[in-house]
Amino acid sequence: MSKRIEVNDLNVYYGKFKAVEDVTMVIEPRSVTAFIGPSGCGKSTFIRTLNRMHEVIPGAYVEGQVLVDGDDLYGPGVDPVLVRRQVGMVFQRPNPFPTMSIRDNVLAGVKLNNRRISKTDADDLVEKSLRGANLWNEVKDRLERPGSSISGGQQQRLCIARAIAVEPEVILMDEPCSALDPISTLAIEDLIEELKQNYTIVIVTHNMQQASRVSDKTAFFNIAGTGKPGKLIEYDDTSVIFSNPSVKDTEDYVSGKFG
Amino acid sequence: MSKRIEVNDLNVYYGKFKAVEDVTMVIEPRSVTAFIGPSGCGKSTFIRTLNRMHEVIPGAYVEGQVLVDGDDLYGPGVDPVLVRRQVGMVFQRPNPFPTMSIRDNVLAGVKLNNRRISKTDADDLVEKSLRGANLWNEVKDRLERPGSSISGGQQQRLCIARAIAVEPEVILMDEPCSALDPISTLAIEDLIEELKQNYTIVIVTHNMQQASRVSDKTAFFNIAGTGKPGKLIEYDDTSVIFSNPSVKDTEDYVSGKFG
Amino acid sequence: MTATQAPAGITNSLTQGRLHPRTPWVILGLSLTAAAGIVSLISASTDSAFSLVGTVALGALFYLVMVVVISRQVEGSRQATDRFVTALVTGAFLVAMTPLVSLLFTVVVNGSARFDVQFFTSSMRNVVGEGGGAIHAIVGTLLMTGTAAIISIPIGLLTAIYLVEYGRGPLARAITFFVDVMTGIPSIVAGLFAYALFALFFDPGIRMGFAGAIALSVLMIPVVVRSCEEMLRVVPNELREASYALGVPKWLTILNVVLPTSAAGIATGIMLSIARVIGETAPLLIVAGFSQSMNYNLFADRMQSLPVFVFTSYSIQGVDTQAYLDRAWAGALTLILIVMLLNLIARLIARFFAPKLGR
Amino acid sequence: ANEGEAPEETGASLSGTLVGAGSSAVGAAQESWIAAFQTANPDVTVSYDPTGSGAGRETFAGGGSDFAGTDRAFNDEELNGGVEFVGCAPDSGIVQLPLYISPIAVIFQLEGIDSLNMTADVIAGIFAEQITNWNDPAIAALNEGVELPDLAITPVHRSDDSGTTENFTDYLAQAAPSVWTYEADGVWPLDSGEAAQGTSGVVDAVTNGTGTIGYADASRAGDLGTVSVGVGDEFVPFSPEAAAAVVDASPFVEGRADYDLSIELARDTTESGVYPVVLVAYLVACETYTDPAKAELVKAYFTYMASPEGQADAQAGAGSAPISAALFERVTAAIEVIGAAE
Amino acid sequence: MSATEATEPTEAAQQRTPLRAKQRLGDIVFSRAALISGSAILLILALVAIFLVAQSLPAVVADPGDFIGKPASLWDYVWPLVFGTLWSATLALVMALPLAIGIALFISHYAPRRLAQLLGYIIDLLAAVPSVVYGLWGIGVLAPAVLPAYQWLTENLGWIPFFAGPVSGTGRTILTAAIVLGVMILPVMTAICREIFLQTPVLHEEAALALGATRWEMITMAVLPFGRPGIISGAMLGLGRALGETMAVAMVLSPQAIITFALLQSANPNTIAANIALSFPESYGVNVNLLIFTGLVLFLITLAVNSIARYIVNRRKDFSGAN
Ligand SMILES: Nc1ncnc2c1ncn2[C@@H]1O[C@H](COP(=O)(O)OP(=O)(O)OP(=O)(O)O)[C@@H](O)[C@H]1O
Ligand SMILES: Nc1ncnc2c1ncn2[C@@H]1O[C@H](COP(=O)(O)OP(=O)(O)OP(=O)(O)O)[C@@H](O)[C@H]1O
Ligand SMILES: [Mg+2]
Ligand SMILES: [Mg+2]
Ligand SMILES: O=P([O-])([O-])[O-]
């Protein structure tokens, strides 16, 4: 149920602009990997290449290789849709479907694919996913209300519930907790801990504590200056990155330990 | 240049739904006040009533009194425009104007009051504001690019730059740093520290450390259950709230010290 | 910035420099009264009738000037601008509503004379002078417009989808450009084109409802594309991304996310396009011909439509002219009612899909 | 509820469809004729597209319709090879019959005045915009006792190419050659004056204006003031009889077949009781059709239109002038020619 | 895109991987259908163009003496019509566009919500009034109603060339026709502007308001820039309709074959489409080709106008705010 991701010499471009340069790393299955780094260093850009979501942006393309369990994501004939069904994603900004009820939002991955699901299965799935995202108690009485009628934090948890409802093998999370309060954040972190038994998880975070709490490995990205591409500076066990990094930049960054 | 805010028995409604109940508090000038509390407890709702931004949402209305230096915000004949010019706001999600360049975004509010700002003054103001928001170095070479062409974190900092450019007397910030990396967050916190010499600042945050680092007073909101209104549980000096709160709920909430 | 305004003993500095909410109304009343006085003076001195239009226009002008001047003094130039624009926008609205309401009023008043049961049960077959009805024209209009819609909506909507979701590069640019060009085809040229097309395959005397539908489609497609394209473009990318990230293929994303989100806009667009063609006269007169009798068959014989019915009733009046005019207006009223009904249906459909905005 | 009414037993054996197209002036008359003919022959459907004379002639010549209605007959050039009649049998001639005669009224809108006398020269002067005020002595001299206002004259003409205009300008050119120096034409020859689309447009423009004057099919004169036209020494108001009289007073075009009854209207006639401002529309059919059934149908329909009942129906429904007995005989003879190729 | 040839997956790997799916049928069908629809439009347009050109050629080579009204040359015939078409459509757009934006703003940002919905509905309805009815209304109601104003204008402002006399006796001038056209295109433009304005992201509206913008300033900062492409689109739809409108103009206008900027006189330049409607019924032979040639010219005019509009929209595409 979980996959190993291998990235080789990856460059990501927005048209002519090279946003991320030369990333090589191996993400082990059943582990949590955190990406940290200053704003604009290309964390979002890079994480999106792991399920080919960058292709949605006109002009964005990659050079290099991303292997998921040895299969090249960018090989000929690979269907990005299947990639994304295996590699799920939660975004920085909550984006529930405004036309759907809360319940339908959770079931979106099933329903949008026009797959049939029995009412009881659906109910179970909705409850399980919402519980997983620590939202069940807050919305159980208004499952039929529109997905956009809840607070920002609730919406983000709804999006997480929606992502885990399709049970992907890898889950990418781009700052999933940046809109969440501590209780929800804790719930999500617990959830990540739990999910990592079965899934491969990659998370972008600005929160050092979060990175150090939840992740097994941490990758630090940095950017030399505006207009320059972001680079992977250091990638190692989380404990090493936070206690004894080998690169000066990493130390500088994590030593401002706060956030 | 800074104002004292007094809230008396304030209830906030979305149509029939009472979202916030019975808030009474005094926010001192030249101080930083942090609002904390679980998601959905009405922090955003309440902070928006302090500059009448809630009126933008159809059906939203308040009962009660908000006095800014003794003037009732909701008194007869009060002009919300005037209110918002004195009480600025930064939102949870970055919202730069996509049709304007980065430079024009910063100047957007300033130009309203002062159409004929000279080019050099404008340049100075743009630089000062962007530096204040720790964005100058990243965008100084592309000030004429659209405001939406930068990363989410950069966009949020652009919004902060835009808000401080008009130099309001009170600044409301609804989770301004939730999309920011530690370096930018630090810059914003420093900025808050600086601004508080002259301004009254109210900040919503999910980040306990942030609250304890930057704020003089902290207000803890909570909600009894779904469909119930949010309430102000405890409001005191930040040190008291975090070390020795008088209400059990507050202690429970802040003792999960993380985030 | 605003702290420059000294409180000077006023209880609430936030109301300072703020007109009382009722002030504009008072100004409006005064303006109208003054205008009425001046206009009646003029009309008395020149012996002409009292002009209501003149009064309203003059009053509006007074109001505009006064409110700007007063607001500028009391509230400053920005508020004055705001008040000015508010007055202008409201004024624009009222000015524009005048002809539109006059038009509706004219149609309803004139159309009600023959808006009776017979009008909806009989055709004009073997009718001379009074009596008769437009059922044949109603059926013809529904059939031809319906067929045109069945042809145009899928083509137009799919093209809009292509342009927004798939189209990149020269082909998309070409389509965009030529759709624009198509919006400018004069209706009568569309009729001539459809006629030439059908005359190629059939005999030169060819007249049929289907040819009319084709002519209407030529006019309708660009409107569908243009309006739907506009509506699809404003669907936020975030929603598409959310769907893709769930492993939903592009076509299902379009079908299940993009289209429902923009349903209200699309419904409006489609309504506009139907409205655009349902009132067309010239092309139908050329290719669908003119008939007094009922014809249910789109593929043979002449088919009457309501606009042609209205136009010919007006332009070719027999001795009993009033009977012809009454039928013309009743036909126009019927046409508007049909569109109203379609509009209602479209809105219901749109409401069913529309984003449940609760924020 | 008139559709699908049980056909009355009339004993009529005709069936089929007949298609005509052409002049809109004939449109109202055709409505009457079609209604009566279909009532008598329930299995027959006749349709007539009032698309205009030019289009009607083109359609007929191209074989798009079985008969045509036109404000002017096909002329010599067209008949002598200029136009090929695709719908008729090879080498077939065409039958052109003046079955629709209608007076053109000169209508005006002046408060309190129902009728005015005018000579051709005055009418031409007004429409040529040489006489520009209603109190002009030239008008006053002809209308003693009428109080003419000091008001600008607004002449209204047709903005579309039309048979009414062609007949009206033909009248002006023939009867007032010294004032009206233009040729007869379906398009108004001057660059000035008010223009309106169709007979209805002219009538509306004249009705809604003040001091307006125009020309339109007499059946549409309604409450408007009308002009009695000077012919010889008298002033003749329009009437069906007076209009039919001018046709009788006019010769047929020379050099045509017996069944081509094109008329050279003598608008400058001074005969008494004649109203020379008329529109004559022709109904045109093939001499020989390829399909016998079609020929039979056309023949029956034309016979009915020409018959006294048919002409009376048109008078009742469209206000036209019935053809005279003398013309009726010539027409009947011509209709006999219509047949099918063996 | 990828430099993966070196690591061609093995046969086994290919079997194992579910990523390498068949091309998705739905996607193919959907994108092909969309592509085909787009191409169908090109085809239809090509056919129309071929028809127009083929039918126009005889007029180009014909002797101008055979044309209606006997112009000196083909261009002598066409030019006044081109002028009239552009002039009337411009007048209509100049009158209607500000009003349309005004009404749309009124509905989207000024009127109370309930009222706004009702108004939106009424406006949509008016988009459906057939042009014949606009014609009838123009003749019967509008022209008599505006006549006194025209008289006043020529008497008092006659020195301005636009208002030069003598005033028309019936009020059926190019200005009246332009008003009718303006009223006709108003609903379409309003509807599109309104829909776009309603879509303005709340985030941006709030951003402006929070800076202390008045309602109008918020509109200029957030709503209008966001709606700009939509406004232009709506204006183009309206302009297209105004340029091509046949029946209403034919019924209302009192035309001549002249070029004049005077707005209130009896003699007015005619439009291409109305001229076709007026002349087509009685034309035959080469005159039909002549009229179709004018149709081709109209086609080209629309093409030019739309190109300009597209250019304007695309110039600031980066700033469109559309994602
Ligand atoms: N526009 C709205 N209409 C109706 N109810 C709303 C609206 N916005 C928020 N609410 C409700 O009001 C309550 C308070 O929401 P609010 O957004 O103020 O919470 P919050 O404390 O800011 O949460 P978060 O930390 O997630 O941002 C919630 O129950 C929410 O569902
Ligand atoms: N759609 C786009 N087109 C062009 N450039 C882009 C686009 N999106 C991002 N960029 C640029 O690519 C670089 C990396 O952006 P990215 O969003 O990946 O940063 P990030 O590390 O996720 O930042 P943050 O922490 O603020 O989210 C930035 O310089 C940004 O301006
Ligand atoms: Mg990011
Ligand atoms: Mg909030
Ligand atoms: O018959 P006309 O309409 O051309 O006069």
Side-chain angles (χ1 to χ4, degrees), chain A residues 43-45 92 174-175 204, chain B residues 151-152:
Chain A
K43 304 179 297 294
S44 298
T45 303
Q92 201 162 354
D174 189 352
E175 303 185 32
V204 174
Chain B
S151 82

Side-chain angles (χ1 to χ4, degrees), chain C residues 237-274:
Chain C
N237 259 353
E238 288 180 359
L239 297 183
R240 296 188 180 91
E241 290 190 355
S243 177
Y244 294 146
L246 292 171
V248 179
K250 190 162 188 166
W251 70 283
L252 283 172
T253 301
I254 295 169
L255 210 61
N256 293 338
V257 175
V258 178
L259 289 181
T261 307
S262 52
I266 289 177
T268 303
I270 287 176
M271 276 314 306
L272 287 177
S273 66
I274 291 179

Side-chain angles (χ1 to χ4, degrees), chain A residues 14 17 39-45 57 92 175 206, chain B residues 151 153-154:
Chain A
Y14 289 112
F17 173 58
S39 181
C41 68
K43 304 179 297 294
S44 298
T45 303
I57 298 163
Q92 201 162 354
E175 303 185 32
H206 279 139
Chain B
S151 82
Q154 291 167 330

Side-chain angles (χ1 to χ4, degrees), chain B residues 71-72 77 79 85 112-113, chain C residues 11-13 15 18 78-79:
Chain B
D71 299 328
D72 187 358
D79 184 0
R85 217 181 296 160
L112 291 177
N113 291 304
Chain C
T11 45
N12 192 338
S13 74
T15 54
R18 177 84 182 147
R78 289 178 52 207
Q79 281 296 342

Side-chain angles (χ1 to χ4, degrees), chain D residues 89-184:
Chain D
D91 299 327
S92 160
I94 57 168
V95 180
Q96 309 203 83
L97 305 175
L99 291 182
Y100 180 82
I101 300 168
S102 178
I104 296 171
V106 179
I107 50 179
F108 60 84
Q109 171 78 302
L110 282 179
E111 237 178 76
I113 304 179
D114 292 338
S115 166
L116 284 174
N117 293 335
M118 290 187 193
T119 59
D121 282 348
V122 170
I123 298 175
I126 289 174
F127 278 95
E129 300 196 16
Q130 291 163 5
I131 300 172
T132 55
N133 198 299
W134 283 105
N135 65 7
D136 193 286
I139 306 176
L142 302 174
N143 295 284
E144 272 167 40
V146 181
E147 180 114 13
L148 288 163
D150 175 13
L151 183 65
I153 302 180
T154 304
V156 182
H157 60 260
R158 292 279 291 268
S159 60
D160 47 341
D161 191 347
S162 87
T164 311
T165 301
E166 185 157 11
N167 280 280
F168 184 62
T169 51
D170 188 35
Y171 160 72
L172 295 178
Q174 283 191 36
S178 57
V179 184
W180 192 260
T181 52
Y182 312 94
E183 281 176 36

